[in-house]
Amino acid sequence: MAKKNKKNWYIPAGQPITELDKKVLAFQDRGVLVPPRTLIKTPEQIEGIRRSGVVNTGVLDLVASEIRAGMSTAEIDRLVYEYTMDHGAIPAPLNYEGFPKSVCTSVNEVVCHGIPSEDEILEEGDIINVDVSTILDGYYSDASRMFVIGETTPEKQRLVDVARECLEIGMKAAQPWGFVGDIGKAIGKHAHKNGFSVVRDMCGHGVGLEFHEEPEVDHYDTRRRGMLLVPGMTFTIEPMINMGTWEVFVDEEDDWTVVTEDELPSAQWEHTFVMTEHGLEILTH
Ligand code: MF3
Ligand code: CO
């Protein structure tokens, strides 16, 4: 059996060794899983992701102002496509691994990756996640929000609120020179305290130069420390919180739509972040 090479941090030939390099190498020498150096974005790259995030937030703000009962999820898709193109950007989901639309719209028991459709009409009491991802000048950003159509049941409203708290708690748990595993540990605790469960099959992810980069960011307690969090890393946190079981399945008809096994509702909020020396900064405000 080949021995797995665990050395992630290489200094490119001819480049000076920085203070950051020294700090990461000290962790690596102690056997800690450190990110590949390529995951650390330059200030220029962070600005690019931030600019992409501004368009992404504009899309979500537009959806927030337009979404209402009687609207189809295909109408949301058109809003997303037009606003994004008008701002010189590209919707990242469109044709991504065959995804047919510009945005994911996930209603009630749909956990994520719902495909917008003319036949899906929003009704009073629905809860919907709109997941928007944007490419601007080659830079990716990714964020999602929940919308409540009119008024919903107290239980569904609480699910939406707790899912949002989970994102905020995960964000606070992510500290520079801490570990990716701290995030899911904190989120899992808050979800369970509120009687909800955390989806395990889908995770947050590095983002910026590609749609999905390392690391994988689990939202439940994996009991593993995971990768070291180094300033300059950019990634999402996007907990999917279920009212019932954490288990999910993928719709066989379209091979995309992820649904809760018990068909009870699910809620999710997402931001793209950059790790700084003082903690996470949101790039999709
Ligand atoms: N936006 C999703 C995420 O948060 C990814 C969706 S993949 C798509 O990672 F193809 F469905 F868009
Ligand atoms: Co994402």
Side-chain angles (χ1 to χ4, degrees):
M1 199 172 91
K3 205 167 160 205
K4 211 172 161 193
N5 183 3
K6 286 200 170 157
K7 288 221 188 308
N8 265 338
W9 195 270
Y10 286 104
I11 296 147
Q15 280 200 21
I17 298 177
T18 66
E19 288 305 310
L20 188 88
D21 286 322
K22 285 185 202 159
K23 207 160 170 183
V24 177
L25 287 170
F27 276 99
Q28 179 159 272
D29 289 346
R30 300 206 316 258
V32 167
L33 177 65
V34 305
R37 201 175 188 261
T38 49
L39 289 188
I40 310 306
K41 270 64 173 188
T42 65
E44 293 72 28
Q45 289 171 334
I46 292 164
E47 279 319 299
I49 302 164
R50 195 190 302 280
R51 283 196 305 274
S52 172
V54 170
V55 177
N56 205 71
T57 301
V59 175
L60 279 164
D61 288 345
L62 173 66
V63 171
S65 71
E66 293 294 320
I67 199 163
R68 61 193 44 131
M71 186 185 221
S72 74
T73 49
E75 281 173 70
I76 297 172
D77 181 66
R78 282 192 285 276
L79 287 174
V80 171
Y81 179 80
E82 272 155 35
Y83 183 99
T84 306
M85 299 303 278
D86 283 350
H87 288 77
I90 301 165
L94 191 56
N95 302 319
Y96 174 79
E97 292 185 2
F99 192 80
K101 297 285 181 181
S102 296
V103 63
C104 299
T105 50
S106 304
V107 180
N108 297 328
E109 72 279 7
V110 177
V111 174
C112 63
H113 302 170
I115 303 174
S117 158
E118 303 291 353
D119 302 330
E120 186 175 43
I121 309 295
L122 296 176
E123 288 173 19
E124 172 90 15
D126 281 343
I127 60 170
I128 174 176
N129 175 274
V130 179
D131 190 343
V132 177
S133 319
T134 299
I135 316 170
L136 181 69
D137 302 330
Y139 294 109
Y140 288 77
S141 57
D142 189 3
S144 78
R145 296 182 198 162
M146 293 301 294
F147 298 101
V148 176
I149 306 303
E151 237 183 90
T152 191
T153 64
E155 197 58 0
K156 281 167 92 175
Q157 184 63 55
R158 204 169 68 81
L159 179 70
V160 169
D161 295 343
V162 170
R164 187 179 188 145
E165 290 162 16
C166 283
L167 174 55
E168 282 158 11
I169 283 162
M171 181 182 165
K172 290 199 188 93
Q175 290 297 324
W177 312 108
F179 295 92
V180 170
D182 303 339
I183 299 169
K185 199 175 190 167
I187 290 173
K189 203 170 152 193
H190 189 67
H192 295 143
K193 197 173 81 190
N194 283 281
F196 297 140
S197 68
V198 181
V199 172
R200 298 176 170 225
D201 298 26
M202 263 84 46
C203 53
H205 51 92
V207 64
L209 308 186
E210 291 171 59
F211 200 170
H212 296 112
E213 305 174 355
E214 278 192 281
E216 289 187 358
V217 180
D218 284 308
H219 303 108
Y220 66 101
D221 188 357
T222 60
R223 310 255 162 176
R224 281 189 302 274
R225 187 162 53 170
M227 193 180 274
L228 183 72
L229 291 169
V230 178
M233 289 170 78
T234 52
F235 57 90
T236 73
I237 304 176
E238 47 182 303
M240 285 145 273
I241 307 300
N242 292 355
M243 197 177 280
T245 179
W246 59 269
E247 287 165 291
V248 300
F249 68 94
V250 178
D251 186 327
E252 280 176 21
E253 305 256 293
D254 63 26
D255 240 12
W256 275 105
T257 310
V258 179
V259 187
T260 57
E261 191 70 55
D262 54 13
E263 301 196 7
L264 287 174
S266 182
Q268 176 182 32
W269 296 79
E270 174 182 23
H271 273 307
T272 293
F273 303 97
V274 60
M275 181 54 78
T276 76
E277 257 128 62
H278 316 285
L280 287 184
E281 186 189 333
I282 301 175
L283 296 178
T284 45
H285 249 318

